[in-house]
Short mmCIF file of all heavy atoms in Angstrom, two decimals:
data_model
loop_
_atom_site.label_atom_id
_atom_site.label_comp_id
_atom_site.label_asym_id
_atom_site.label_seq_id
_atom_site.Cartn_x
_atom_site.Cartn_y
_atom_site.Cartn_z
N ILE F 355 21.49 3.52 1.23
CA ILE F 355 21.46 4.28 -0.03
C ILE F 355 21.46 5.76 0.33
O ILE F 355 20.49 6.25 0.92
CB ILE F 355 20.20 3.93 -0.85
CG1 ILE F 355 20.17 2.44 -1.18
CG2 ILE F 355 20.14 4.78 -2.13
CD1 ILE F 355 18.84 1.96 -1.74
N ASP F 356 22.55 6.44 0.05
CA ASP F 356 22.64 7.87 0.34
C ASP F 356 23.00 8.56 -0.98
O ASP F 356 24.18 8.64 -1.34
CB ASP F 356 23.70 8.12 1.41
CG ASP F 356 23.73 9.58 1.84
OD1 ASP F 356 23.14 10.42 1.12
OD2 ASP F 356 24.34 9.89 2.87
N ASN F 357 21.99 9.00 -1.70
CA ASN F 357 22.18 9.52 -3.05
C ASN F 357 23.00 8.53 -3.87
O ASN F 357 22.59 7.39 -4.02
CB ASN F 357 22.80 10.92 -3.00
CG ASN F 357 21.81 11.94 -2.44
OD1 ASN F 357 20.64 11.93 -2.79
ND2 ASN F 357 22.26 12.81 -1.56
N ASP F 358 24.18 8.95 -4.34
CA ASP F 358 24.96 8.06 -5.22
C ASP F 358 25.72 6.97 -4.47
O ASP F 358 26.26 6.06 -5.08
CB ASP F 358 25.99 8.89 -6.02
CG ASP F 358 25.29 9.88 -6.93
OD1 ASP F 358 24.15 9.60 -7.34
OD2 ASP F 358 25.88 10.94 -7.23
N ARG F 359 25.75 7.09 -3.16
CA ARG F 359 26.55 6.15 -2.37
C ARG F 359 25.67 4.99 -1.89
O ARG F 359 24.78 5.17 -1.06
CB ARG F 359 27.13 6.91 -1.18
CG ARG F 359 28.24 6.16 -0.53
CD ARG F 359 28.91 7.05 0.49
NE ARG F 359 29.73 6.22 1.35
CZ ARG F 359 30.39 6.69 2.37
NH1 ARG F 359 30.32 7.95 2.69
NH2 ARG F 359 31.12 5.88 3.10
N VAL F 360 25.93 3.82 -2.43
CA VAL F 360 25.13 2.64 -2.08
C VAL F 360 26.07 1.62 -1.46
O VAL F 360 27.06 1.22 -2.06
CB VAL F 360 24.47 2.04 -3.34
CG1 VAL F 360 23.62 0.83 -2.98
CG2 VAL F 360 23.62 3.10 -4.05
N GLN F 361 25.77 1.21 -0.23
CA GLN F 361 26.67 0.31 0.50
C GLN F 361 25.91 -0.81 1.17
O GLN F 361 24.78 -0.61 1.66
CB GLN F 361 27.39 1.10 1.61
CG GLN F 361 28.41 2.09 1.15
CD GLN F 361 29.01 2.79 2.35
OE1 GLN F 361 28.32 3.54 3.04
NE2 GLN F 361 30.28 2.52 2.62
N VAL F 362 26.53 -1.97 1.21
CA VAL F 362 26.01 -3.06 2.02
C VAL F 362 26.78 -3.03 3.33
O VAL F 362 28.02 -3.11 3.32
CB VAL F 362 26.21 -4.42 1.30
CG1 VAL F 362 25.69 -5.55 2.17
CG2 VAL F 362 25.48 -4.41 -0.06
N CYS F 363 26.07 -2.85 4.44
CA CYS F 363 26.74 -2.62 5.74
C CYS F 363 26.44 -3.77 6.70
O CYS F 363 25.38 -4.41 6.62
CB CYS F 363 26.24 -1.32 6.37
SG CYS F 363 26.35 0.11 5.30
N ASP F 364 27.32 -3.96 7.63
CA ASP F 364 27.16 -5.01 8.64
C ASP F 364 25.95 -4.69 9.55
O ASP F 364 25.80 -3.56 10.01
CB ASP F 364 28.44 -5.10 9.48
CG ASP F 364 28.28 -6.12 10.59
OD1 ASP F 364 27.94 -7.27 10.28
OD2 ASP F 364 28.48 -5.76 11.77
N ALA F 365 25.13 -5.69 9.79
CA ALA F 365 23.96 -5.49 10.65
C ALA F 365 23.99 -6.44 11.84
O ALA F 365 22.95 -6.71 12.45
CB ALA F 365 22.67 -5.66 9.85
N GLY F 366 25.17 -6.93 12.16
CA GLY F 366 25.29 -7.87 13.26
C GLY F 366 24.69 -7.34 14.56
O GLY F 366 24.01 -8.06 15.29
N GLU F 367 24.91 -6.05 14.82
CA GLU F 367 24.42 -5.47 16.07
C GLU F 367 22.90 -5.25 16.06
O GLU F 367 22.29 -5.05 17.10
CB GLU F 367 25.10 -4.12 16.32
CG GLU F 367 26.55 -4.24 16.71
CD GLU F 367 27.18 -2.86 16.90
OE1 GLU F 367 26.44 -1.86 16.86
OE2 GLU F 367 28.40 -2.81 17.06
N LEU F 368 22.33 -5.24 14.87
CA LEU F 368 20.89 -4.96 14.76
C LEU F 368 20.06 -6.24 14.78
O LEU F 368 18.87 -6.21 15.08
CB LEU F 368 20.60 -4.20 13.46
CG LEU F 368 21.32 -2.86 13.28
CD1 LEU F 368 21.09 -2.33 11.86
CD2 LEU F 368 20.82 -1.85 14.30
N TRP F 369 20.67 -7.33 14.40
CA TRP F 369 19.93 -8.61 14.27
C TRP F 369 19.33 -8.98 15.61
O TRP F 369 20.02 -8.95 16.63
CB TRP F 369 20.87 -9.70 13.76
CG TRP F 369 20.20 -10.81 13.04
CD1 TRP F 369 19.99 -12.07 13.52
CD2 TRP F 369 19.64 -10.78 11.71
NE1 TRP F 369 19.34 -12.83 12.57
CE2 TRP F 369 19.11 -12.07 11.45
CE3 TRP F 369 19.52 -9.80 10.73
CZ2 TRP F 369 18.49 -12.41 10.25
CZ3 TRP F 369 18.90 -10.13 9.53
CH2 TRP F 369 18.39 -11.41 9.30
N GLY F 370 18.07 -9.28 15.61
CA GLY F 370 17.39 -9.62 16.86
C GLY F 370 16.61 -8.46 17.45
O GLY F 370 15.74 -8.65 18.29
N LEU F 371 16.89 -7.24 16.98
CA LEU F 371 16.16 -6.09 17.52
C LEU F 371 14.77 -5.98 16.90
O LEU F 371 14.53 -6.43 15.78
CB LEU F 371 16.92 -4.79 17.23
CG LEU F 371 18.28 -4.58 17.91
CD1 LEU F 371 18.86 -3.25 17.47
CD2 LEU F 371 18.14 -4.63 19.43
N GLY F 372 13.90 -5.31 17.63
CA GLY F 372 12.58 -5.01 17.11
C GLY F 372 12.65 -3.92 16.04
O GLY F 372 13.68 -3.27 15.87
N THR F 373 11.53 -3.72 15.36
CA THR F 373 11.53 -2.77 14.24
C THR F 373 11.69 -1.32 14.72
O THR F 373 12.27 -0.50 14.03
CB THR F 373 10.25 -2.89 13.42
OG1 THR F 373 9.12 -2.61 14.26
CG2 THR F 373 10.10 -4.28 12.83
N ARG F 374 11.17 -1.03 15.89
CA ARG F 374 11.27 0.35 16.38
C ARG F 374 12.72 0.69 16.74
O ARG F 374 13.27 1.70 16.30
CB ARG F 374 10.35 0.54 17.59
CG ARG F 374 10.36 1.94 18.18
CD ARG F 374 9.37 2.04 19.32
NE ARG F 374 8.00 2.01 18.85
CZ ARG F 374 7.25 3.09 18.61
NH1 ARG F 374 7.76 4.29 18.80
NH2 ARG F 374 6.02 2.98 18.20
N GLU F 375 13.34 -0.18 17.53
CA GLU F 375 14.72 0.07 17.95
C GLU F 375 15.66 0.08 16.73
O GLU F 375 16.59 0.86 16.65
CB GLU F 375 15.15 -0.99 18.97
CG GLU F 375 16.54 -0.80 19.55
CD GLU F 375 16.70 0.49 20.35
OE1 GLU F 375 15.69 1.03 20.81
OE2 GLU F 375 17.86 0.97 20.45
N THR F 376 15.38 -0.80 15.78
CA THR F 376 16.21 -0.84 14.58
C THR F 376 16.15 0.51 13.86
O THR F 376 17.19 1.06 13.44
CB THR F 376 15.71 -1.95 13.63
OG1 THR F 376 15.79 -3.20 14.31
CG2 THR F 376 16.55 -2.03 12.37
N GLN F 377 14.96 1.04 13.73
CA GLN F 377 14.82 2.33 13.03
C GLN F 377 15.49 3.46 13.80
O GLN F 377 16.16 4.32 13.21
CB GLN F 377 13.34 2.64 12.79
CG GLN F 377 12.69 1.68 11.81
CD GLN F 377 11.25 2.07 11.49
OE1 GLN F 377 11.01 3.05 10.80
NE2 GLN F 377 10.29 1.30 11.99
N ILE F 378 15.31 3.44 15.11
CA ILE F 378 15.93 4.50 15.93
C ILE F 378 17.45 4.45 15.79
O ILE F 378 18.11 5.47 15.59
CB ILE F 378 15.49 4.36 17.40
CG1 ILE F 378 14.01 4.74 17.54
CG2 ILE F 378 16.34 5.23 18.32
CD1 ILE F 378 13.39 4.43 18.89
N ARG F 379 18.01 3.25 15.87
CA ARG F 379 19.48 3.14 15.78
C ARG F 379 19.99 3.55 14.39
O ARG F 379 21.01 4.21 14.27
CB ARG F 379 19.91 1.70 16.06
CG ARG F 379 19.77 1.36 17.53
CD ARG F 379 20.72 0.28 17.92
NE ARG F 379 20.33 -0.26 19.21
CZ ARG F 379 20.95 -1.27 19.79
NH1 ARG F 379 21.97 -1.84 19.19
NH2 ARG F 379 20.55 -1.71 20.96
N LEU F 380 19.26 3.15 13.36
CA LEU F 380 19.73 3.49 12.02
C LEU F 380 19.58 4.98 11.73
O LEU F 380 20.40 5.57 11.04
CB LEU F 380 19.01 2.64 10.97
CG LEU F 380 19.50 1.18 10.93
CD1 LEU F 380 18.61 0.33 10.03
CD2 LEU F 380 20.95 1.10 10.45
N LYS F 381 18.53 5.59 12.28
CA LYS F 381 18.41 7.04 12.13
C LYS F 381 19.51 7.73 12.92
O LYS F 381 20.02 8.78 12.51
CB LYS F 381 17.02 7.51 12.59
CG LYS F 381 15.94 7.29 11.54
CD LYS F 381 14.55 7.55 12.11
CE LYS F 381 13.47 7.35 11.09
NZ LYS F 381 13.17 8.56 10.31
N GLY F 382 19.88 7.15 14.06
CA GLY F 382 20.99 7.68 14.83
C GLY F 382 22.29 7.64 14.03
O GLY F 382 23.10 8.55 14.07
N ARG F 383 22.43 6.60 13.25
CA ARG F 383 23.67 6.41 12.48
C ARG F 383 23.65 7.22 11.18
O ARG F 383 24.67 7.73 10.74
CB ARG F 383 23.80 4.92 12.16
CG ARG F 383 25.21 4.48 11.87
CD ARG F 383 25.28 2.97 11.68
NE ARG F 383 25.02 2.22 12.91
CZ ARG F 383 24.96 0.88 12.96
NH1 ARG F 383 25.14 0.17 11.86
NH2 ARG F 383 24.73 0.27 14.10
N HIS F 384 22.50 7.32 10.54
CA HIS F 384 22.43 7.93 9.20
C HIS F 384 21.71 9.28 9.18
O HIS F 384 21.51 9.84 8.12
CB HIS F 384 21.76 6.97 8.22
CG HIS F 384 22.56 5.73 7.97
ND1 HIS F 384 23.52 5.65 6.99
CD2 HIS F 384 22.57 4.54 8.60
CE1 HIS F 384 24.08 4.44 7.01
NE2 HIS F 384 23.52 3.75 7.98
N GLY F 385 21.28 9.76 10.35
CA GLY F 385 20.60 11.05 10.40
C GLY F 385 19.10 10.89 10.52
O GLY F 385 18.53 9.93 10.00
N GLU F 386 18.48 11.85 11.20
CA GLU F 386 17.05 11.73 11.48
C GLU F 386 16.19 11.76 10.22
O GLU F 386 15.06 11.31 10.21
CB GLU F 386 16.60 12.82 12.45
CG GLU F 386 16.74 14.23 11.87
CD GLU F 386 16.09 15.29 12.75
OE1 GLU F 386 15.64 14.96 13.88
OE2 GLU F 386 16.03 16.44 12.30
N LYS F 387 16.76 12.31 9.13
CA LYS F 387 15.96 12.37 7.91
C LYS F 387 16.02 11.08 7.10
O LYS F 387 15.31 10.94 6.11
CB LYS F 387 16.43 13.54 7.04
CG LYS F 387 16.11 14.89 7.65
CD LYS F 387 16.64 16.01 6.78
CE LYS F 387 16.33 17.37 7.42
NZ LYS F 387 17.06 18.44 6.75
N ALA F 388 16.88 10.17 7.52
CA ALA F 388 16.97 8.90 6.80
C ALA F 388 15.65 8.13 6.96
O ALA F 388 15.01 8.19 8.01
CB ALA F 388 18.12 8.07 7.34
N ARG F 389 15.24 7.46 5.92
CA ARG F 389 14.03 6.63 5.97
C ARG F 389 14.44 5.17 6.00
O ARG F 389 15.34 4.75 5.26
CB ARG F 389 13.17 6.91 4.74
CG ARG F 389 12.76 8.36 4.59
CD ARG F 389 11.86 8.81 5.72
NE ARG F 389 11.37 10.17 5.53
CZ ARG F 389 10.61 10.81 6.40
NH1 ARG F 389 10.27 10.24 7.54
NH2 ARG F 389 10.20 12.03 6.15
N VAL F 390 13.79 4.42 6.83
CA VAL F 390 14.19 3.04 7.07
C VAL F 390 13.02 2.10 6.87
O VAL F 390 11.91 2.37 7.34
CB VAL F 390 14.71 2.86 8.52
CG1 VAL F 390 15.21 1.43 8.74
CG2 VAL F 390 15.80 3.87 8.85
N MET F 391 13.23 1.01 6.16
CA MET F 391 12.30 -0.11 6.25
C MET F 391 13.09 -1.32 6.74
O MET F 391 14.24 -1.50 6.34
CB MET F 391 11.58 -0.39 4.92
CG MET F 391 12.45 -0.85 3.77
SD MET F 391 11.39 -1.16 2.31
CE MET F 391 12.51 -2.17 1.33
N CYS F 392 12.48 -2.09 7.62
CA CYS F 392 13.27 -3.14 8.26
C CYS F 392 12.38 -4.30 8.68
O CYS F 392 11.16 -4.23 8.60
CB CYS F 392 14.00 -2.56 9.48
SG CYS F 392 12.91 -2.03 10.79
N ILE F 393 13.03 -5.34 9.15
CA ILE F 393 12.29 -6.48 9.68
C ILE F 393 12.57 -6.62 11.16
O ILE F 393 13.56 -6.13 11.68
CB ILE F 393 12.64 -7.79 8.94
CG1 ILE F 393 14.15 -8.10 9.04
CG2 ILE F 393 12.19 -7.73 7.50
CD1 ILE F 393 14.53 -9.47 8.51
#
Side-chain angles (χ1 to χ4, degrees):
Chain F
I355 301 168
D356 185 346
N357 291 317
D358 297 333
R359 195 171 166 184
V360 181
Q361 289 179 293
V362 179
C363 307
D364 176 55
E367 288 178 8
L368 302 171
W369 205 254
L371 294 179
T373 60
R374 181 177 289 265
E375 183 63 22
T376 301
Q377 293 185 72
I378 289 170
R379 288 206 195 177
L380 285 171
K381 280 170 179 272
R383 203 175 291 176
H384 294 272
E386 64 171 7
K387 291 178 181 169
R389 302 295 185 183
V390 183
M391 65 178 198
C392 66
I393 58 172

